[in-house]
Each structure stands twice: as structure tokens, then as C-alpha cells.
Amino acid sequence: MFDKDTLVQVGNYFAPLKKKYTLRLRTLPTHPSYQDAKDMLEQIASTATQLSVSYEEGEGFSIDLLVEGEPSGVHFRGIPGGHEFTSLLLAILNIDGIGKNIPDEGIQRRIKAIKGTIDLRTYVSLSCTNCPDVVQTLNLISILNPNITHTMVDGAFFPDEVERLGIASVPCVMAGDKVLHVGRGDLATLLNKLEENYGSDATEAASDEVKEFDLLVLGGGPSGVSSAIYSARKGLKVAVVAERIGGQVNETVGIENLISVPYITGAELAQNLLTHAEGNNISLYEARTVSSVEQKEGISYVRTSSGESFLAPALIVATGASWRKLGVPGEVEYTGSGVAYCAHCDGPFFKGKRVAVVGGGNSGLEAAIDLAGICEHVTVVEFLDVLKADNVLQEKVRELPNVEVLLSTATKEVKGDGKKVVAISITDRNTGEEREIALDGVFVQIGLTANTQLVKDLVATNERGEIIIDASCRTATPGIYAAGDCTTVPYKQIVIAMGEGAKAALSAFDDRIRS
């Protein structure tokens, strides 16, 4: 199952382990995946003396992680292969106190303060690139809070269960039969949802301390990290407050247009951004959700949902953008039950079925091409009278016999039967004709919307909510600068965001020395 080099690498990771760990396989020897799981676990255990394997007969199928013979709170229903192999390895390292994903003390206090006894399950597909982030984050939360347990569930292992629960999008986080979260998610997002649903004592322990800096950066994507690095190199005391370093880059499978780097994955680039930031004198506050931003007498004040406060005379807003929603009836209700935003992750749930892709740009046609290989039929619905995607993608779509393109068509409603999507309602913008298309899934690919709600009363924005900036990334408000996808700069590209971040930092420094 694993080659020699992989096992050597795993052994190197596990060499510092201090505690004893047991990988317990609980199922019947007659289970069709018993031998594969046995072989995998024994290979992993062979890499370190601190690891062992045990077997317990029982119905179902699970791999339980024990530490010093006691349950760790981390479980896997299914074989954690593919992208989830890292989730198993990282869980062991995290229990031992190892791993760059372990949060600072402030976030750990929040995790430990979550109320109640909570049993979480995350349904995944082993081909999903967003699933490991959610699985690894919830594993970590269960490790830090002994009242929380977390189980990864491979949907392919339990199709009847997936069908009964109406799951059609991954990752899908559930507690009992209640859906807590669907889709990609980071530590800040998941922690916020747990606090909202179960309550927390964290606010009682919130500090009244206000952390002071020369410059604050909101956002940890390419523009935010670039801003911070350029500012730190000028000798300023800099802090980055963000949900996660890398931002939307973390969701990108492959990048081929970052000049001088022929190819890099989004996860690799995000790690490189983190490494570069850590190599400079920058205070990183990850997994933070900003609750308010104010400016008083030329000083910017930032407060997080956990009660932390920051201030600085200069603020760079680099909050990026998020996937735009359709905003039609039924979209929210059926998100995760037929409405999806990632064809790569959720496409396998619609094998042999009929789906629609809303959006005729590059992301829309790329999704349609991917889905055409596994779905019975794909309908591309484009509001405009022309497709905006690159010609090479348009030509590829024309060659596919099971892809239909509808131009000048508005999506009016997503319809369902109470459990899952069954159709969409569309209108021909030229004739006014309304009709329904029977289908099983709707993939929304209509671009991005700027994340500027927190600062819309502090700076000028355009009709799309983008922050209006000048050629030097200055906003209409002295002391506040903006960079990247949240601004009016044309072409939302990684390489442009990095340059804009540098410009914002240089402008802020120039204003500082001239004042």
C-alpha cells in the first residue's frame, strides 16, 4: 500500500513521539475492507515503536485512535486514505503536542471553553481537497477539548447512511441528525459555529488588554501577507489578523500563472506565505473573526469575536473575496443537499445524474467539463448573451455531447422536495418564457463578492462593494489602505494581489515618514 520512501518519511515524523498510540480496527474479519485496513494500519505501526495495532470484532467499521490505551476522541469510519491519510498522521502528532496547526493559547482557551458534550461527524469524499481541512480542524478541537469527539466518515463506505441523511455535498459536519456545517471551513469558521450552537465560557476569560502596533493588516491572503512582509522589512511593528494564512489560495487545486513558478498547489503556496511571514518580525493572529473595525482620531481599532482588541495608526484592509451566491429562493435551504459550490469535491455525489452549472465564466465552464465526465447531463446557465470563459474552454464544452449551454437565461429558484434538489426554475431573458429543468444538483459558479462589510462605513465603496482605492492603494480615509480582491483593482489574480499588497505597505510607510 505504501512504498518504502513514504514509510521512511512517516517514521521521521513519528520519531519524536513521547506517548504510546494504538490504532484499533473495529469490524468483522468478513468485512470486504478488513484486509486493506489491516495492511494499512500495520504498515503505519511499523514506522515507530510508539505505535501498535489492535483488533476488535463488531458491526460496522471504524478505526479508533487510542492514546496510552484510552480513547483520544478521534475516530475514522472508513479507511483514511487519499487526502485523509494526512488527517490520521496529524491527529497522532497533535495529541503529542506536535504540529504547526496547533493554535496559540488564546484560541486554545476558546476551544476548551465550548460548553456541552458534543459528538461530531464529518462526511467526506477521499478525493475532496477541502475535506481534510475540516477533518483536521475538528480532530484538533476534539483533542484539546475532552468533551468533544470527532469521527471522519467516508461517504463511499456508508452510502445508505448518506442517502438517509440527504448528504449531497462534502465536507458535511453533523451532530446527530443536525447539520452544523457544509463545505470548506477553517478553524475560525468552525469554532464560531460550535460556540453559536453550544455556547462558551470564553468571553468570561477575555482579556481587557489592547495590543498596540504600528500597522495592522486584516486578511492573510497573498495581498495581506505581502503587505505585512513589506511593512515588517521597514522596521515596523506589524500584526496580521486573519481567519487563516493563505485565504482563498487554500482552496485552489493548482496554480500555473504565478510568474517564475511553473506550477504550485494552493496548499503549498499558502504554506510558503506562512513560512515567509514567520521569517519576519510579524505577529500572526490566525483563526480570528473580526467583529468590528473603528477609527478614532486617526487610530484604527480592531476587535475580534473572542474579545481581543488591537490598535494601530495605519490599517491595511486585505480581506479578499468570497464565492458569490445566487440569492434566489431555495439556494440556502438546499445548500449541501443539491446546491454546491465545488465541482471537484461534490461532483462524485452526482455520478450518472443531471446537474446545472450556473455561470459561464472560466470557473463555470471548468466545472461543466469536470462534471460532464461523471454526470449524465450538464446544463450551463449563463445570464449574459455570451460566455465570458476563455476560448479554449468554450471549444472544449462544444465538443462534449452531454453539455448544453443556455445563454440570456436567469436562474429564478432552486426547487426541492424538502430533502434534496429536484429542479431549477429559469427565465429566458429575451422572450420572458419561464420553465423548469428537472435535475439533481446545482453548482453555483458566478464569481466573487468583496468581503468589505466590516469597513463599508469607514471607506468609500462602489456598487459591487469593492473598496475604492487610488493607484497607490490609498482609500478615501487617511490611515486606511486596501489591497487585493476586496478593492477596485481590475483582474483578481494572485500575482496582482501580491503587488497590490506591496504597494499598500509602501504607501503606508511613505505617509508615516512624511507625517
Side-chain angles (χ1 to χ4, degrees):
M1 183 172 290
F2 300 113
D3 58 39
K4 182 178 179 181
D5 290 341
T6 299
L7 292 175
V8 169
Q9 188 175 14
V10 171
N12 290 335
Y13 288 143
F14 288 158
L17 293 179
K18 304 178 185 66
K19 299 176 181 177
K20 296 288 185 180
Y21 298 89
T22 302
L23 300 168
R24 182 177 66 192
L25 175 60
R26 186 168 57 83
T27 189
L28 296 174
T30 54
H31 192 285
S33 294
Y34 177 85
Q35 193 59 48
D36 287 341
K38 183 175 183 291
D39 291 343
M40 176 186 184
L41 297 180
E42 289 185 351
Q43 278 193 303
I44 295 172
S46 71
T47 64
T49 57
Q50 298 92 329
L51 301 178
S52 63
V53 182
S54 68
Y55 304 93
E56 180 180 303
E57 292 193 13
E59 296 296 328
F61 185 102
S62 71
I63 296 171
D64 308 314
L65 179 56
L66 309 180
V67 54
E68 303 293 354
E70 297 297 326
S72 66
V74 176
H75 309 273
F76 298 86
R77 289 176 60 204
I79 299 176
H83 295 299
E84 295 300 342
F85 177 57
T86 302
S87 298
L88 172 59
L89 302 186
L90 194 57
I92 295 172
L93 295 174
N94 286 166
I95 295 171
D96 226 63
I98 304 170
K100 292 185 177 181
N101 64 320
I102 296 177
D104 58 61
E105 291 185 3
I107 296 300
Q108 288 191 40
R109 284 196 298 271
R110 285 182 64 192
I111 292 172
K112 294 173 182 177
I114 297 172
K115 296 179 179 179
T117 300
I118 310 168
D119 184 13
L120 301 173
R121 308 187 311 282
T122 301
Y123 290 83
V124 307
S125 165
L126 296 186
S127 64
C128 169
T129 56
N130 291 323
C131 293
D133 286 343
V134 172
V135 171
Q136 290 164 21
T137 298
L138 293 178
N139 282 347
L140 181 60
I141 287 174
S142 71
I143 290 167
L144 293 173
N145 187 324
N147 296 319
I148 299 175
T149 62
H150 177 244
T151 303
M152 179 219 82
V153 184
D154 180 359
F157 257 67
F158 304 95
D160 293 341
E161 184 175 330
V162 168
E163 181 71 19
R164 177 180 65 81
L165 294 170
I167 295 171
S169 186
V170 290
C172 179
V173 182
M174 303 193 72
D177 285 348
K178 178 183 179 182
V179 176
L180 292 183
H181 176 82
V182 177
R184 52 192 165 193
D186 49 41
L187 179 54
T189 300
L190 296 167
L191 187 49
N192 285 341
K193 289 194 174 182
L194 287 172
E195 289 173 338
E196 290 168 5
N197 280 276
Y198 297 99
S200 172
D201 294 323
T203 53
E204 298 176 7
S207 172
D208 293 330
E209 176 191 5
V210 179
K211 302 177 179 66
E212 298 185 24
F213 294 89
D214 297 323
L215 182 139
L216 289 174
V217 179
L218 297 187
S223 58
V225 173
S226 175
S227 297
I229 290 172
Y230 264 75
S231 298
R233 287 173 59 83
K234 292 294 187 181
L236 301 184
K237 185 181 179 184
V238 180
V240 174
V241 182
E243 292 192 350
R244 61 175 169 173
I245 299 300
Q248 285 259 86
V249 162
N250 287 280
E251 320 306 338
T252 306
V253 177
I255 301 163
E256 299 178 324
N257 57 359
L258 185 59
I259 309 308
S260 84
V261 182
Y263 179 84
I264 189 170
T265 67
E268 289 171 336
L269 179 56
Q271 182 58 51
N272 288 349
L273 291 172
L274 176 60
T275 300
H276 200 168
E278 290 176 336
N280 290 269
N281 188 26
I282 300 170
S283 298
L284 299 176
Y285 294 90
E286 287 190 86
R288 265 66 175 187
T289 298
V290 176
S291 57
S292 66
V293 183
E294 299 177 312
Q295 191 188 59
K296 300 176 183 177
E297 298 180 353
I299 302 296
S300 291
Y301 295 83
V302 173
R303 189 169 178 83
T304 68
S305 59
S306 59
E308 294 171 294
S309 297
F310 306 84
L311 69 79
L315 173 71
I316 296 178
V317 182
T319 46
S322 303
W323 293 115
R324 182 178 285 119
K325 304 294 192 296
L326 283 170
V328 301
E331 179 182 19
V332 173
E333 292 86 342
Y334 290 102
T335 294
S337 298
V339 175
Y341 300 86
C342 177
H344 178 75
C345 298
D346 300 329
F349 286 100
F350 299 89
K351 184 176 181 180
K353 298 182 178 181
R354 302 177 70 87
V355 301
V357 174
V358 182
N362 283 347
S363 60
L365 293 201
E366 287 171 356
I369 292 167
D370 286 345
L371 292 166
I374 56 178
C375 295
E376 177 188 340
H377 188 270
V378 180
T379 301
V380 177
V381 181
E382 170 54 50
F383 184 83
L384 301 177
D385 58 0
V386 294
L387 295 175
K388 292 297 186 180
D390 294 341
N391 285 334
V392 64
L393 294 175
Q394 294 190 42
E395 291 171 4
K396 177 63 177 177
V397 163
R398 293 190 191 103
E399 296 172 356
L400 297 171
N402 62 335
V403 177
E404 175 188 15
V405 177
L406 302 179
L407 300 176
S408 298
T409 302
T411 303
K412 307 299 290 185
E413 183 178 358
V414 177
K415 296 193 171 183
D417 61 5
K419 292 185 177 180
K420 63 183 185 302
V421 169
V422 297
I424 58 168
S425 176
I426 61 173
T427 299
D428 186 312
R429 296 177 56 241
N430 294 324
T431 66
E433 177 190 0
E434 295 185 11
R435 65 187 177 100
E436 287 187 8
I437 301 176
L439 43 69
D440 302 285
V442 181
F443 289 81
V444 181
Q445 299 285 307
I446 55 174
L448 301 169
T449 183
N451 298 324
T452 57
Q453 280 296 108
L454 284 168
V455 297
K456 63 183 179 63
D457 294 330
L458 291 178
V459 297
T461 58
N462 64 12
E463 67 279 1
R464 294 185 298 277
E466 298 168 329
I467 300 172
I468 299 171
I469 57 171
D470 65 13
S472 300
C473 294
R474 293 181 176 91
T475 72
T477 306
I480 300 181
Y481 311 80
D485 290 2
C486 66
T487 75
T488 51
V489 65
Y491 312 118
K492 313 305 186 185
Q493 298 290 308
I494 293 171
V495 67
I496 292 174
M498 288 179 171
E500 291 293 295
K503 283 167 56 179
L506 293 173
S507 296
F509 183 75
D510 190 49
D511 290 347
R512 178 185 176 89
I513 61 175
R514 291 180 185 278
S515 65

